[in-house]
Amino acid sequence: MYLTKEEEKILKGEEGYVKQKALEIVVKTGEVLEAERLIKITKAHIAGISYKNIGDEGLDLIRELYEAGGRFSIYTTLNPAGMDLDLWREMKVSEDFARKQIEIVNILTKMGAYPTLSCIPYELVPLSYGEQIAWAESNAVLYANSVIGARTNREGGPLVLFEAICGRAPYVGLRIDENRKPTVLIKFEVKNEFLKSMTGLLGYHLGKIVKEGVPYVINPWEVIKTTYDVRLFLAGVGASSSIGLVIFKGISPDARMIKEEELKSLEKIIIEDAEIKDTYEELSTDLRSYDLVAVGCPHVTGNELRLIYESLKGIQVKENFYIFTCREYCSRCRDIINKLREIGVKVYKDTCIVVADLRSLGVKNIVVDSAKAAYYLSTQGYKVKLLPLDSILRGLQDG
Ligand code: F3S
């Protein structure tokens, strides 16, 4: 692999032991992926920081890196942790779990990360077209590539740690323009309004049938109306496939570089009601009762917080209704969050329904508006019903 003089110096240990080891790992990964060279990255987003997922082994690795002098050399943000760092007692998280989770976040922060603790870094940090970054959260990768036109592969959790330390990533995959060409055309012909309103399900279905490559959606406005829809859709794609870029005609910056002739030879898949209904039945259980309703996968922004409050104001919510957002929106929308809490809604930051430690809440049956959440919660043994956000809010209004 070609290495610059600067990279050779790092490999000789001139910038410290941990940076040297981190670069060695990135180079080895690049060799396996047949990268001809590395590329400098400007931002990293580290996922897999919930103690629920990484346990003592993950904590030990982070602690060792920090104690050996490991520091992030680029702008680094963090995905959600296993609890709200302030309200973990209200979430009934155990003392032992909380202590270890706080240690994970503290160490990563001391290494130089911003404790954003959110899976929507694209809403929190400025990102430009063509910018080379290394993000590890699939919905964030899909959003950065598909909506902003930044360049990142779906980086593995531990690899991003090392990339953030050495500031380099293998120059492969979606970092290279030629690999960002569409491989299949997708047209949505969904008539059923209920199915059409579940954009996360539509994205999940697309991922399920395409699996890899770069799908080009001919008519995104048929199914996507809001930025929340985009986030739910891309999170769904990420949950059911290894896709890292969806090109939306009229939305994605990459769509502008594509000539009509390039699309002519591609296979075209038309997605219709019957197959989406089948995917819905695979993903959603017909629950008669539930213990918890959860929204915020990916995290909601101020827009959704306001919309949810407007829809529920004037009633007292009797169900367990949790909304997951990030600390940034908690401070920007403090008054709305206080009002939501006054009407009985629980708003949590720093964590999410999938990576939070919910065992002590005794929850078994959950209603969500996110296909990604439905998929991952089902794999954790919960029974899950998937509904569009407006149906969830109507249900809460009716008590
Ligand atoms: Fe985000 Fe958790 Fe969903 S990290 S995309 S809210 S699974």
Side-chain angles (χ1 to χ4, degrees):
M1 182 192 292
Y2 167 78
L3 294 171
T4 62
K5 290 215 162 40
E6 200 185 339
E7 286 158 359
E8 277 168 2
K9 279 186 187 168
I10 298 172
L11 283 178
K12 281 187 198 139
E14 291 184 18
E15 295 189 25
Y17 175 74
V18 180
K19 199 163 177 181
Q20 175 192 9
K21 292 292 151 199
L23 188 59
E24 275 176 16
I25 290 166
V26 173
V27 168
K28 283 216 169 65
T29 308
E31 282 168 355
V32 171
L33 298 172
E34 297 180 358
E36 288 179 2
R37 64 182 174 99
L38 304 178
I39 189 141
K40 278 191 174 181
I41 47 172
T42 51
K43 295 185 178 89
H45 183 72
I46 297 175
I49 70 150
S50 169
Y51 179 69
K52 175 179 159 184
N53 297 342
I54 63 172
D56 289 329
E57 224 175 281
L59 171 56
D60 290 345
L61 169 70
I62 293 167
R63 201 190 280 128
E64 274 169 34
L65 282 173
Y66 172 68
E67 286 172 359
R71 300 294 181 268
F72 301 126
S73 63
I74 53 174
Y75 193 104
T76 300
T77 46
L78 302 179
N79 221 37
M83 61 186 204
D84 186 312
L85 262 67
D86 296 312
L87 299 177
W88 56 270
R89 286 191 178 83
E90 185 184 294
M91 295 181 84
K92 300 199 169 41
V93 172
S94 72
E95 296 276 342
D96 182 57
F97 185 101
R99 188 173 41 77
K100 290 175 172 167
Q101 183 63 75
I102 290 167
E103 186 179 355
I104 291 169
V105 174
N106 283 348
I107 294 174
L108 291 168
T109 307
K110 283 194 267 180
M111 287 174 74
Y114 291 88
T116 46
L117 302 172
S118 176
C119 53
I120 53 168
Y122 44 83
E123 298 285 352
L124 306 173
V125 299
L127 210 55
S128 354
Y129 174 79
E131 190 172 345
Q132 294 279 353
I133 58 174
W135 282 7
E137 157 58 44
S138 64
N139 101 83
V141 168
L142 276 149
Y143 196 99
N145 278 317
S146 312
V147 181
I148 299 168
R151 279 20 185 182
T152 176
N153 290 310
R154 285 177 63 167
E155 312 285 328
L159 179 64
V160 171
L161 263 180
F162 300 115
E163 290 173 334
I165 291 171
C166 69
R168 310 283 195 290
Y171 188 57
V172 288
L174 295 172
R175 302 189 176 286
I176 302 174
D177 286 354
E178 295 81 75
N179 298 334
R180 298 173 69 91
K181 300 281 179 207
T183 54
V184 62
L185 300 179
I186 302 290
K187 186 165 188 213
F188 283 99
E189 287 191 1
V190 189
K191 306 273 179 289
N192 180 299
E193 289 302 325
F194 177 75
L195 296 174
K196 207 170 172 176
S197 64
M198 275 185 289
T199 42
L201 175 70
L202 303 178
Y204 182 90
H205 182 75
L206 185 157
K208 188 180 101 172
I209 56 170
V210 176
K211 284 281 170 220
E212 57 186 16
V214 181
Y216 180 99
V217 181
I218 298 170
N219 58 343
W221 298 116
E222 263 301 295
V223 291
I224 289 172
K225 308 284 182 231
T226 65
T227 54
Y228 188 51
D229 286 339
V230 179
R231 300 205 302 277
L232 287 172
F233 185 96
L234 292 174
V237 173
S240 58
S241 73
S242 61
I243 294 168
L245 164 65
V246 177
I247 302 182
F248 296 112
K249 185 178 180 182
I251 299 176
S252 303
D254 284 76
R256 280 186 247 129
M257 322 303 169
I258 297 161
K259 298 193 184 77
E260 281 296 318
E261 303 90 79
E262 291 178 58
L263 302 176
K264 282 192 183 134
S265 57
L266 297 180
E267 180 197 1
K268 182 170 171 183
I269 300 175
I270 296 185
I271 297 180
E272 295 175 293
D273 289 19
E275 51 188 307
I276 305 225
K277 194 161 175 285
D278 289 346
T279 300
Y280 180 65
E281 279 160 12
E282 273 166 41
L283 206 56
S284 179
T285 312
D286 192 15
L287 295 177
R288 282 174 205 280
S289 63
Y290 51 85
D291 321 296
L292 180 65
V293 180
V295 165
C297 171
H299 276 172
V300 299
T301 64
N303 282 344
E304 291 87 49
L305 286 166
R306 257 176 235 109
L307 183 148
I308 294 169
Y309 176 69
E310 286 304 319
S311 151
L312 297 179
K313 76 176 174 197
I315 63 159
Q316 197 61 33
V317 176
K318 294 184 210 84
E319 286 85 351
N320 260 332
F321 178 35
Y322 287 15
I323 302 176
F324 294 92
T325 184
C326 54
R327 42 180 69 190
E328 177 66 25
Y329 285 103
C330 274
S331 59
R332 282 195 220 169
C333 309
R334 203 175 297 275
D335 57 331
I336 292 284
I337 288 172
N338 288 341
K339 286 177 182 168
L340 281 164
R341 287 185 158 268
E342 276 163 24
I343 61 170
V345 179
K346 296 213 162 64
V347 183
Y348 292 122
K349 59 175 174 53
D350 305 335
T351 187
C352 82
I353 188 67
V354 174
V355 300
D357 183 24
L358 300 175
R359 283 165 302 182
S360 41
L361 289 175
V363 169
K364 289 197 176 71
N365 301 333
I366 309 179
V367 176
V368 293
D369 69 337
S370 158
K372 176 174 180 177
Y375 171 73
Y376 283 108
L377 289 169
S378 303
T379 64
Q380 292 176 20
Y382 295 102
K383 288 212 164 44
V384 189
K385 183 169 179 127
L386 178 62
L387 285 175
L389 180 59
D390 59 351
S391 299
I392 289 180
L393 296 174
R394 266 199 308 280
L396 295 169
Q397 286 158 2
D398 297 342

